[in-house]
Amino acid sequence: MNYIYPAIFYPEANGKYSVIFPDLNDLATYGDSLADAFAMAQEACAQYLFTSLRDGDALPAPTAINAVKSDDPTALINLICVNLDNYARAYDDRAVKKTLTIPAWLNTACDNCGINYSKVLKDALIAKLQQVQM
């Protein structure tokens, strides 16, 4: 799912940029260039939102971009979009236990061959998802 929050980019004297998210408890990051600052802003926003949702916290409503103000006339206000589905796939690799039922003869045959059920199921589910998403 995509989430969009406004961010304020402040140019620094050394060519770097500081970034503040006013809606996310003044979440801050920076980048060595404007492009780097945008990438860092996406990463910081995704991590903040992912952690909040994982912990059961409610996400704040994003402020409309035209309502975000800065006292610095050189600041750039822009929207940052993050896809939390992609972020979760990349960073939430914890194992989840699932129970399944198979015929006894299949269990015996797999045990005799040393087949790793978890790996086979994981590989099959990934292949199925790739088919569905095409």
Side-chain angles (χ1 to χ4, degrees):
M1 178 163 204
N2 289 320
Y3 293 86
I4 300 173
Y5 281 89
I8 306 171
F9 292 77
Y10 296 97
E12 305 291 338
N14 57 6
K16 297 181 180 188
Y17 284 82
S18 296
V19 185
I20 303 289
F21 287 88
D23 294 327
L24 305 178
N25 293 325
D26 288 329
L27 173 69
T29 188
Y30 74 96
D32 292 331
S33 65
L34 185 57
D36 187 42
F38 267 88
M40 295 300 289
Q42 277 190 307
E43 181 71 21
C45 184
Q47 184 177 18
Y48 181 94
L49 298 175
F50 180 79
T51 301
S52 294
L53 289 173
R54 183 195 64 204
D55 293 346
D57 299 335
L59 298 181
T63 302
I65 192 167
N66 58 352
V68 177
K69 304 292 181 219
S70 172
D71 293 337
D72 184 346
T74 64
L76 169 68
I77 299 170
N78 208 329
L79 295 174
I80 299 297
C81 179
V82 295
N83 183 308
L84 283 189
D85 294 334
N86 291 342
Y87 188 85
R89 273 194 284 283
Y91 296 105
D92 188 21
D93 202 20
R94 63 191 159 99
V96 177
K97 184 177 174 130
K98 293 290 183 183
T99 303
L100 69 127
T101 304
I102 59 173
W105 67 266
L106 183 57
N107 183 61
T108 301
C110 290
D111 285 346
N112 289 340
C113 292
I115 293 175
N116 180 325
Y117 296 97
S118 294
K119 181 176 179 353
V120 171
L121 180 58
K122 180 179 130 187
D123 292 346
L125 289 171
I126 289 170
K128 187 66 171 179
L129 280 173
Q130 290 171 341
Q131 289 175 355
V132 171
Q133 293 174 353
M134 289 183 165

